[in-house]
Amino acid sequence: MGFSALVASALCTFLLPLLLFLAAVRLWDLYCASGRDPSCPLPLPPGTMGLPFFGETLQMVLQRRKFLQMKRRKYGFIYKTHLFGRPTVRVMGAENVRHILLGEHRLVSVQWPASVRTILGSGCLSNLHNGQHKHRKKVIMQAFSRDALQHYVPVIQEEVSACLAQWLGAGPCLLVYPEVKRLMFRIAMRILLGFQPRQAGPDSEQQLVEAFEEMIRNLFSLPIDVPFSGLYRGLRARNIIHAKIEENIRAKMARKEPESGYKDALQLLMEHTQGNGEQLNMQELKESATELLFGGHETTASAATSLIAFLGLHHDVLQKVRKELQVKGLLSGPNQEKQLDMEVLEQLKYTGCVIKETLRLSPPVPGGFRIALKTLELNGYQIPKGWNVIYSICDTHDVADLFTDKDEFNPDRFMSPSPEDSSRFSFIPFGGGLRSCVGKEFAKVLLKIFTVELARSCDWQLLNGPPTMKTGPIVYPVDNLPAKFIGFSGQI
């Protein structure tokens, strides 16, 4: 073969595919730019749209925090990208986020990626709109009233105390994050669904925990339902969860009255449906129950794990928590094992500040998804109608001018005056506006009880030092936070 033939062969083999790829990328950029609304004089936000069809989804999924930090440094508080098959604008900063969250139903509406909508289902609270959302939220909120929370306190305390006793006998190394997830799963199953996972046996509980982990790993995936794809695996795991929940629903229907003496969230939903003379929609109930379990255990597990990490790294803060417990008669003596209640928990101001500071530095949910109902203007840019909008919780906390020494773990910053009172969109671990987290008061009570029991029962050492945190989609430690737990001596 002659030299010219070799050159031609090389061009066909390497150069032509490269040129075609570059042409495809250029056409993709032009296509994405054509989404700009010509009736609005403002430009699109800065940013890049990534590869054809895939956009920047793969980079975001693989790199998460590193990818997002790079974007923020390069483009600022508002930038465009292409994620999960949709043109998207990512927004951070208190004022920008306030504009989005207070524009619900007027400027924006909730719309999670297609994979999330498919796996969680159209009947769950996060996918409902307008009157349906308001109505369903009102029903569920009954399960998080102060009276209902009072019923939950002894159940939470019982589960946490039993779990910590096991940790103290676990030996020289315990992987904290998986253990906390199992604890929070049992609590959510008992309180939100009235289900007794211990009675079902350890194998059944472990199967459900593993199914949830598989479902959550694949919530944010490309919307391609073929064997072995992320969406396929997520749906398969969801079906296992739905089958177990349906068993529980049918048992409730046969039993009529709750065994626990209080009505859990699922019971309230069932009674509301039947009370209105509506036909009981099993699929919607299963979807609502799955969503409650997801919100009720994954996020609290993340926050509780971060609490253990921060208190393990800042012994002075742990000692201040213990001093507060001592003042309230909760640390030593005959009151050590006394039952907590809402009144006592509300008096633990510093402990509450420790939880707030944990949620500021390590919010379990990194942000939320919306869709622009019409072309809107934000800080000198346009967001075209139909584009996705992601508001970032973690970045908004990072850039808030309200907080000094942002990287420092300092619960005292929340003592007085409370920062969120003066600028409530600088601190948004539970979101905000009409779609703020329905279970936020439940989460606060659960985390406070967990902190109390942990502080008065255990001392611990983080075996790997400060953890590296990852988002997938909930924030968690890459190494599962190995630690050694010993009993607390009672001396501060």
Side-chain angles (χ1 to χ4, degrees), residues 100-117:
I100 298 299
L101 291 179
L102 297 186
E104 188 74 32
H105 304 322
R106 181 173 50 87
L107 300 177
V108 298
S109 181
V110 69
Q111 180 163 297
W112 292 90
S115 58
V116 178
R117 299 197 305 273

Side-chain angles (χ1 to χ4, degrees), residues 297-333:
H297 93 278
E298 277 286 334
T299 54
T300 52
S302 171
T305 303
S306 295
L307 267 167
I308 292 173
F310 285 126
L311 291 176
L313 293 169
H314 301 275
H315 196 256
D316 58 320
V317 174
L318 177 59
Q319 292 296 79
K320 289 182 75 171
V321 169
R322 286 171 172 161
K323 286 179 181 177
E324 182 175 63
L325 298 181
Q326 188 178 52
V327 168
K328 300 298 180 184
L330 297 172
L331 191 60
S332 59

